[in-house]
Amino acid sequence: MEFLIAFGLFLQGCYSLKMVDLSYELDSGTITWPSNPRFNMSIMHRGFWTTHLWLENNRIDLAEHTGTHIDAPNHLANEAGNWNNHQIPIERLGGPGVIINVKSKAEANSDYRVTVDDLKAWEARNGRIPYGAVVLMNSGWQKYYPDYNAVFKTNNISDSNTYHFPSWHEDAVDWLISNRVVYCVGVDTPSTDYGQSQTFPVHVLLSKENIIGIESAAYLDKLPESGSTIFVPVLKIRNGSGGPARMFALLPDMDVAEANKAVINVLSPMLQLALLLLLGVLHF
């Protein structure tokens, strides 16, 4: 019985998962492209509906591309076969997490763009980018949210020519399209093209290949470079060009795993040996 309990705890530790929120709250200060209307919530009713029944009901108004959100493939490619929101297959809204950490480079250069070399360096450390991956740039830009002037690195947010923030280089995205199969490509900044872009080549490349763009991803420091699974549950807006997403990731819960291993470690040496032998048999 002692062995079965320990074995069950060990398996639970191996497969216990924790969830990590990767999205910002929506409120009037949430970042959107400065030419968009800001998020607004108005109270329709907040109080007692009847003597004993409390009711809250609100109306929200926002641009599709507000806060943590996706760009649907039709956003910057008006071609037959480019998906609207409601046409995106559910299996394309998630996959193995690939976090490209360029924080030091973005700190030195606000116009930094993720390169092919950055991708190859990630693969040298972690192995080949998995099939169907969600590939996200972590530039550390979250430290500037939700200050519009800091996020866009400008004193005049009405002038897009003055924007400075990091993102993807089109050569890196073209390399991903040509050499790997990825479902989503995203950033922790306002756009998958860097702030100084005027032609948005990354948007166009992603759209034409029906790859989902993700913008303003949050809390990426909570994720390892590899080993997570990321989900992007976006609103299913008919004919939408994008929409807010409550992004999250699943990670192995190492705290639970370590606690269960500690239980196993107090077992007698013979039971530990039996457990290891059984795991070896199951492995083969």
Side-chain angles (χ1 to χ4, degrees):
M1 178 60 71
E2 182 185 18
F3 172 78
L4 291 176
I5 292 173
F7 185 58
L9 287 172
F10 184 84
L11 290 179
Q12 178 185 339
C14 289
Y15 295 103
S16 293
L17 299 173
K18 65 178 179 180
M19 300 177 72
V20 179
D21 192 349
L22 302 178
S23 54
Y24 290 109
E25 296 178 358
L26 290 170
D27 60 28
S28 60
T30 301
I31 297 293
T32 185
W33 203 253
S35 58
N36 287 338
R38 301 285 183 95
F39 174 92
N40 180 67
M41 185 175 77
S42 54
I43 298 171
M44 297 173 63
H45 187 89
R46 187 170 297 174
F48 283 99
W49 186 252
T50 65
T51 304
H52 303 291
L53 180 63
W54 179 270
L55 174 67
E56 293 193 19
N57 191 16
N58 307 303
R59 170 176 172 166
I60 59 173
D61 298 280
L62 75 164
E64 292 172 318
H65 303 267
T66 298
T68 305
H69 69 277
I70 74 151
D71 289 349
N74 68 318
H75 183 41
L76 258 75
N78 186 20
E79 299 178 6
N82 293 131
W83 297 325
N84 303 85
N85 271 44
H86 73 281
Q87 296 170 322
I88 299 172
I90 191 69
E91 61 269 17
R92 293 298 188 98
L93 294 173
V98 171
I99 309 301
I100 309 298
N101 188 328
V102 295
K103 290 193 293 184
S104 61
K105 297 174 181 178
E107 181 73 25
N109 177 13
S110 295
D111 295 325
Y112 187 78
R113 292 181 283 173
V114 176
T115 67
V116 174
D117 286 343
D118 291 323
L119 296 173
K120 290 182 176 180
W122 187 97
E123 291 198 332
R125 294 189 300 271
N126 301 284
R128 185 183 176 93
I129 291 172
Y131 186 98
V134 177
V135 188
L136 301 176
M137 175 196 76
N138 181 7
S139 69
W141 224 245
Q142 180 179 336
K143 65 186 175 184
Y144 298 120
Y145 279 69
D147 185 326
Y148 267 83
N149 294 106
V151 168
F152 288 91
K153 287 285 183 180
T154 180
N155 293 320
N156 181 11
I157 61 171
S158 63
D159 182 2
S160 62
N161 292 315
T162 66
Y163 297 169
H164 296 275
F165 55 79
S167 195
W168 286 87
H169 196 286
E170 57 267 30
D171 290 348
V173 171
D174 186 60
W175 185 88
L176 282 173
I177 290 169
S178 301
N179 297 281
R180 302 292 182 265
V181 177
V182 299
Y183 287 169
C184 305
V185 171
V187 292
D188 59 345
T189 57
S191 173
T192 50
D193 281 285
Y194 81 131
Q196 284 289 288
S197 179
Q198 300 298 314
T199 57
F200 303 99
V202 171
H203 277 79
V204 173
L205 283 169
L206 295 177
S207 292
K208 287 184 176 180
E209 297 298 325
N210 275 335
I211 297 172
I212 311 305
I214 299 169
E215 296 171 338
S216 294
Y219 312 118
L220 296 184
D221 281 343
K222 294 183 178 182
L223 299 184
E225 283 193 327
S226 65
S228 66
T229 303
I230 297 175
F231 298 89
V232 195
V234 65
L235 295 175
K236 196 175 183 179
I237 304 168
R238 184 168 185 81
N239 295 324
S241 70
R246 184 71 186 266
M247 277 182 63
F248 65 93
L250 292 179
L251 284 173
D253 193 337
M254 299 308 296
D255 291 338
V256 173
E258 291 302 318
N260 291 340
K261 288 176 184 177
V263 172
I264 293 171
N265 287 337
V266 302
L267 301 175
S268 66
M270 288 301 294
L271 284 174
Q272 291 186 41
L273 177 59
L275 179 57
L276 290 173
L277 288 172
L278 179 56
L279 288 174
V281 170
L282 291 176
H283 177 72
F284 291 105

